[in-house]
Amino acid sequence: MKLNGAEILVETLIAHGVTDVFGFPGGTVINLYDALYDYQDRVTHYLTCHEQGAAHAADGYARATGKTGVVIATSGPGATNLVTGIATAYLDSTPMVAITGNVASGLIGKDSFQEVDIVGITMPVTKHNYMVKHVEELEEIVREAFQIARSGRPGPVLIDIPKDVQQAQCEFHGGMPKPLLPIPRVSEEALRAAAELIDASERPFVYAGGGLISCSAGEALRVFAERIDAPVGLSIMGLTALDSSHPLKHGLTGMHGHYVASKMNADADLIIGIGVRFSDRATGSTSKYQAKTKIIHIDIDGAEIDKNIDSVISLVGDAAEILPRLTEMVKRRENPTWIAKADLHRQESERFLAQEEMQLHDQDPQAKEEQQLLAQEDMDAQATGLTPQEIIHMVRRYAADDTVVSTDVGQHQMWVAQEYQFCLPRTLLTSGGLGTMGFGMGAAIGASIARGSARTVLFTGDGSFHMNMNEFVTAVTYGLPVVVVLFNNGSLGMVRQWQNLFFNQRYSNTTLERKTDYPKLAEAFGGKGYRASTMKELQAALDAAFSQTEPVLIECLIDSDEKVFPIIPPGGSFDDMIVK
Amino acid sequence: MDKVPEVSNFTLSIIVANRAGALSRVTGLFSRRGYNIDTLTVSPMVEDPTMSRIIMTSSGDEATRKQIIKQLDKLFDVKEVKLI
Ligand SMILES: Cc1ncc(C[n+]2csc(CCOP(=O)(O)OP(=O)(O)O)c2C)c(N)n1
C-alpha cells in the first residue's frame, strides 16, 4: 500500500497505540494536519494555545499513565516553543515523542522562512533525535523513536520531518512496534554483596525517586523496606511511590525535606538509593552527604552511578526486577532502636518550634510587647487569612485518592510536596529536574485527557500561573474538569524567600504589582472563578468546584512572607537545616 | 578530607553510525558536560562503511574518564567506546 509521509506517520502512531496527540499547526505540518483530518476518528488532536503548553500536556499525559506522550509543532517558532517542554521531560525522564515539520529539503540550510535547526537545538535535551531525509526511512524512524522513548530510562525523542518528506509517497509496511531494548540482569554476586552490606548495616535508610514510578516498583519498594525495617525518604519525583500513611514513609528529603526524613538520612550508616540521581537539591554538599555513610546505588542508567556521589555497591537495572530479588536475599529483621530514632527526631522538631515561642517570652519588655502585638496580628490574620498548609489539607479532603495533582514551581510546589497526602503512584506531576514555572497547567490538561477527562488539580502560584495561563482556555475548550488552586502571595515567593533569608531582604523584582482579577479572568476564558481569603470561602469554592465539570480557578490569598521550612541552604548539609 | 583527583591524558576509540549528526552528538556531549577534547580525528571504517571511527584524546581524573565513557555509551549512534 502506497501512502504519503504524513499518512505513514499517523498510521505508525496508531500502530503504537497512540489515541491522543497535542499540538499546534503551521505551514510545514499542514500535510500532517491534513492526514490527521482523515484519521480523526482514531486519533484525537488537542489544540493548545501555545506549543509549550502542548509539550507539557503530552508530558503530563505520559506521567499520568506511563504511555508515551506525543506532541506536534510546525517549524521555526513552533519548534522552538517546544524546547522548554522537551527539556522538562528530559530532566524528569518522561517518555515523549515530539514531531516537528521543517522546510522542504531543498530549502534547508538557506535560512528559509521559519527554518531552524531544531535537531541541533534539542540535541542536548533529547535522548535521541532525527531529521528524516527520505520518506522510505520514516516508518522505521518512528518505530525506533517510540522504542527509545520508553526503553530503559525513558525520555523525549524528537523527529524533524521536512515538508516534502511528508508529501512524498512510498510503500507502507505497517510493522509491529519494536520491543523495548533489553535491560541487563543484575548478577547474583552483585545482589549478594548488596544484601550482605544491608544485613551488616545498623541504620539503613532507603532514598527512592522517580525511577520507581517509571518502572512501577512502588509495591516492591514497600515489601523491601518492610523486610529490613528501614525508614524511607523520597525525592519529589518519587513521592508517590509509597502511600503517605505507611509508617516507614518519612516523605520528602532534600533541600525542603521533612525534618525527620533529613535527620534519619543524616544518621544512616547505609543509604540505599533507588531510582535517584542524588541531585544537588537532594544531597546538598555531596562531600558531607557521603562522609559518614555507605551508599548502595540502584538505577537503570549506569551513567548515574558515581556521577554525583560515590557508591560502595551499584546495581544497574530495573528496580522492579532487582528489588524482589534483593528482598529474598536480605534477612528479615526488626530494628526498633533505629526506628525509635525517628520518634526522637519528631519530638526534637516539635521542641524546636516550641522553643522559638519560649524565646519570645525571655526578651526585654518592649520587644515582648511588640511581639505580642505581632502575635495578635497573626491571630487576626488567622481569623481571616489562609495558610498554604490549610489550603492543601482542605483540597485533599475533596480530592479522591486517584486524583492527579500537578504543580508549578516555587513555594507552593514545595508545600504540596510536604503536605499533600499522596496514596497512589503517578498522582503527582511536577517539574522536579528543570523546575519549569508554567508546567502545571499543561500537565493538568494532559493528565485529565489521559485519564478519560478526569478531574485534576493544579496547585500554582501567581507567578507561575501567568506563564501558561492561556492553557486554561484549552481546558475550557475540551470541557476538562481541572481545578486550579492559585496561591496568591503577590510575589515570586520562592525567590523572595531566598532574598529574605540570604540577601538582606532586598526584594529585587519579586513583588508582583499586578492587577489581575483572577476570578474574572477565569470567567472571561469561559470557566468559573472564585476568591477565597477564609476557610469558609475556600470550602464554598471547593464545594462548587468539585460538583461541576468545567474548569475552575480558586484564588487563595496568602501572606507574602509565608516561607517553606525546613530549608537546607544551597551547598549546605543536613546539619545546616533551618527549621523556622 | 577531599582527595585531590589525579588528572591524566587518555585516548578513546569511538565507533559511531555514519549518520548525520553523529559527530556533533559526540562533541556536543563533551562541551555540554564540561569535558575536554584535546585532539580528534574521524575516518570511515574500511570494514564497514556504515560506521566511522573517532579517535579522541582527552584529559581528566578517573571519575571524569569513567563518566565520559558511560555518557558516550548512552548515545544511540555510538556503537562502541574503548579506552586505548
Ligand atoms: C521558567 C522559570 N523562570 C524562572 C524560574 C525561577 N523561579 C523559581 S521559583 C520562582 C517563583 C515562583 O513564583 P510563584 O509561581 O508565584 O510561586 P510561589 O513561589 O510564590 O509559590 C521563580 C521565579 C523558574 N523556576 N522557571
Side-chain angles (χ1 to χ4, degrees):
Chain A
M1 181 178 38
K2 274 206 167 195
L3 295 179
N4 69 29
E7 292 161 338
I8 289 174
L9 173 59
V10 182
E11 282 282 355
T12 315
L13 292 180
I14 292 170
H16 285 79
V18 174
T19 51
D20 307 286
V21 298
F22 302 86
F24 206 91
T28 61
V29 283
I30 199 159
N31 294 89
L32 175 52
Y33 276 81
D34 193 54
L36 283 170
Y37 193 78
D38 283 332
Y39 288 92
Q40 51 188 292
D41 54 332
R42 294 163 77 190
V43 179
T44 309
H45 177 276
Y46 292 89
L47 178 68
T48 56
C49 296
H50 186 292
E51 290 86 353
Q52 184 184 347
H56 293 324
D59 185 338
Y61 185 95
R63 290 183 202 228
T65 56
K67 291 200 277 185
T68 302
V70 178
V71 61
I72 301 170
T74 193
S75 63
T80 53
N81 275 349
L82 289 182
V83 174
T84 302
I86 294 174
T88 304
Y90 183 70
L91 269 277
D92 286 344
S93 309
T94 323
M96 182 196 278
V97 169
I99 297 157
T100 49
N102 210 334
V103 298
S105 307
L107 291 171
I108 283 179
K110 312 230 160 113
D111 302 319
S112 308
F113 177 65
Q114 298 196 324
E115 183 199 353
V116 295
D117 172 17
I118 196 64
V119 168
I121 290 172
T122 58
M123 216 170 255
V125 291
T126 49
K127 248 182 113 172
H128 193 59
N129 60 16
Y130 301 87
M131 154 75 85
V132 186
K133 296 263 169 78
H134 309 283
V135 69
E136 290 77 17
E137 51 184 47
L138 177 62
E139 189 182 342
E140 180 63 11
I141 286 178
V142 177
R143 280 148 40 86
E144 203 176 271
F146 273 87
Q147 179 186 45
I148 291 173
R150 273 196 53 222
S151 289
R153 178 181 188 168
V157 178
L158 178 133
I159 311 173
D160 194 26
I161 315 175
K163 191 178 165 85
D164 54 315
V165 175
Q166 296 170 42
Q167 290 164 333
Q169 290 208 333
C170 80
E171 193 59 30
F172 173 63
H173 303 285
M176 296 289 288
K178 290 172 182 282
L180 298 185
L181 298 165
I183 301 155
R185 210 178 131 87
V186 172
S187 72
E188 289 294 298
E189 301 83 80
L191 274 179
R192 184 136 305 138
E196 274 167 20
L197 197 61
I198 293 169
D199 287 342
S201 70
E202 284 173 17
R203 300 180 304 280
F205 180 83
V206 175
Y207 168 49
L212 283 176
I213 309 291
S214 312
C215 65
S216 309
E219 182 56 18
L221 168 75
R222 183 185 64 77
V223 177
F224 171 71
E226 284 176 0
R227 175 131 177 143
I228 61 168
D229 207 11
V232 180
L234 298 152
S235 75
I236 195 165
M237 298 309 299
L239 210 51
T240 61
L242 199 58
D243 189 325
S244 295
S245 66
H246 196 285
L248 289 174
K249 176 167 171 175
H250 291 290
L252 189 68
T253 58
M255 181 176 268
H256 290 297
H258 288 289
Y259 183 87
V260 180
S262 294
K263 284 291 174 188
M264 293 300 273
N265 201 342
D267 287 345
D269 65 349
L270 177 68
I271 295 172
I272 307 160
I274 314 170
V276 286
R277 64 167 169 261
F278 292 96
S279 93
D280 55 311
R281 280 293 191 270
T283 61
S285 152
T286 47
S287 57
K288 287 186 194 150
Y289 187 88
Q290 46 197 352
K292 289 182 288 184
T293 184
K294 290 184 178 140
I295 294 170
I296 295 177
H297 195 173
I298 305 176
D299 202 273
I300 204 159
D301 179 358
E304 285 305 337
I305 307 303
D306 302 338
K307 184 180 84 180
N308 294 336
I309 49 95
D310 297 323
S311 51
V312 181
I313 291 176
S314 58
L315 305 174
V316 177
D318 180 349
E321 190 254 337
I322 292 173
L323 281 178
R325 288 173 65 204
L326 192 57
T327 305
E328 289 259 298
M329 275 187 199
V330 292
K331 286 202 207 89
R332 172 182 299 283
R333 61 162 147 166
E334 278 169 29
N335 203 340
T337 19
W338 175 219
I339 293 299
K341 201 96 203 256
D343 294 324
L344 275 181
H345 287 313
R346 195 165 298 116
Q347 290 159 13
E348 218 167 73
S349 92
E350 280 157 16
R351 232 179 6 251
F352 268 135
L353 299 184
Q355 239 170 34
E356 196 134 292
E357 272 162 32
M358 290 276 287
Q359 276 169 3
L360 295 182
H361 295 290
D362 299 338
Q363 286 166 350
D364 67 272
Q366 200 195 332
K368 193 170 160 182
E369 203 169 298
E370 271 174 27
Q371 287 296 347
Q372 274 170 350
L373 258 171
L374 276 177
Q376 185 58 45
E377 274 174 24
D378 244 23
M379 297 249 297
D380 293 347
Q382 263 172 20
T384 54
L386 287 166
T387 69
Q389 291 79 8
E390 284 171 348
I391 299 168
I392 292 164
H393 296 154
M394 186 53 75
V395 173
R396 180 66 186 89
R397 282 167 56 182
Y398 282 80
D401 285 355
D402 64 354
T403 300
V404 176
V405 169
S406 74
T407 77
D408 271 310
V409 171
Q411 293 180 309
H412 63 276
Q413 176 189 32
M414 292 302 129
W415 286 319
V416 169
Q418 292 178 337
E419 296 295 324
Y420 196 97
Q421 299 290 299
F422 291 100
C423 300
L424 295 169
R426 300 191 180 281
T427 50
L428 170 63
L429 315 184
T430 192
S431 172
L434 196 67
T436 308
M437 288 171 70
F439 166 77
M441 192 67 232
I445 288 169
S448 174
I449 290 166
R451 302 222 170 169
S453 300
R455 187 179 313 285
T456 52
V457 174
L458 161 66
F459 286 100
T460 184
D462 45 341
S464 295
F465 184 68
H466 272 103
M467 285 216 172
N468 267 345
M469 64 181 182
N470 48 3
E471 301 306 345
F472 191 85
V473 172
T474 309
V476 171
T477 307
Y478 294 102
L480 305 172
V482 177
V483 179
V484 179
V485 180
L486 186 147
F487 288 44
N488 187 355
N489 54 5
S491 73
L492 301 173
M494 185 56 96
V495 184
R496 180 185 167 89
Q497 169 166 345
W498 283 46
Q499 290 170 333
N500 179 289
L501 296 175
F502 312 123
F503 288 85
N504 297 321
Q505 289 107 50
R506 289 155 55 86
Y507 298 121
S508 174
N509 286 281
T510 50
T511 309
L512 300 178
E513 277 150 358
R514 292 174 179 162
K515 300 277 186 290
T516 311
D517 183 328
Y518 294 96
K520 268 195 193 154
L521 179 88
E523 306 268 342
F525 279 168
K528 281 269 185 301
Y530 304 91
R531 179 174 297 123
S533 53
T534 64
M535 225 39 195
K536 233 174 137 180
E537 285 169 358
L538 177 64
Q539 266 175 294
L542 286 167
D543 279 338
F546 279 80
S547 58
Q548 59 200 16
T549 53
E550 59 194 316
V552 176
L553 183 148
I554 305 171
E555 175 194 12
C556 303
L557 301 172
I558 64 166
D559 194 288
S560 58
D561 280 322
E562 287 281 358
K563 292 191 186 60
V564 184
F565 287 119
I567 175 172
I568 296 170
S573 76
F574 292 122
D575 299 331
D576 306 315
M577 183 165 32
I578 306 172
V579 185
K580 188 93 198 157
Chain B
M1 179 85 201
D2 287 345
K3 298 162 272 192
V4 180
E6 225 172 278
V7 174
S8 64
N9 298 321
F10 51 90
T11 306
L12 295 168
S13 154
I14 309 161
I15 298 177
V16 297
N18 213 342
R19 285 199 280 213
L23 181 63
S24 49
R25 264 177 234 288
V26 170
T27 54
L29 181 107
F30 274 72
S31 58
R32 163 162 103 257
R33 293 199 182 261
Y35 310 143
N36 302 320
I37 300 179
D38 297 329
T39 68
L40 176 135
T41 57
V42 196
S43 45
M45 285 177 70
V46 215
E47 313 89 281
D48 182 353
T50 66
M51 297 285 160
S52 291
R53 186 194 300 278
I54 299 173
I55 302 284
M56 183 189 281
T57 58
S58 175
S59 52
D61 59 20
E62 194 193 336
T64 308
R65 189 167 71 230
K66 284 188 178 161
Q67 260 297 305
I68 290 177
I69 294 172
K70 285 196 270 193
Q71 293 293 349
L72 283 169
D73 239 346
K74 270 183 22 173
L75 298 178
F76 287 88
D77 286 340
V78 170
K79 303 300 162 194
E80 188 195 283
V81 191
K82 268 198 311 206
L83 208 54
I84 53 175

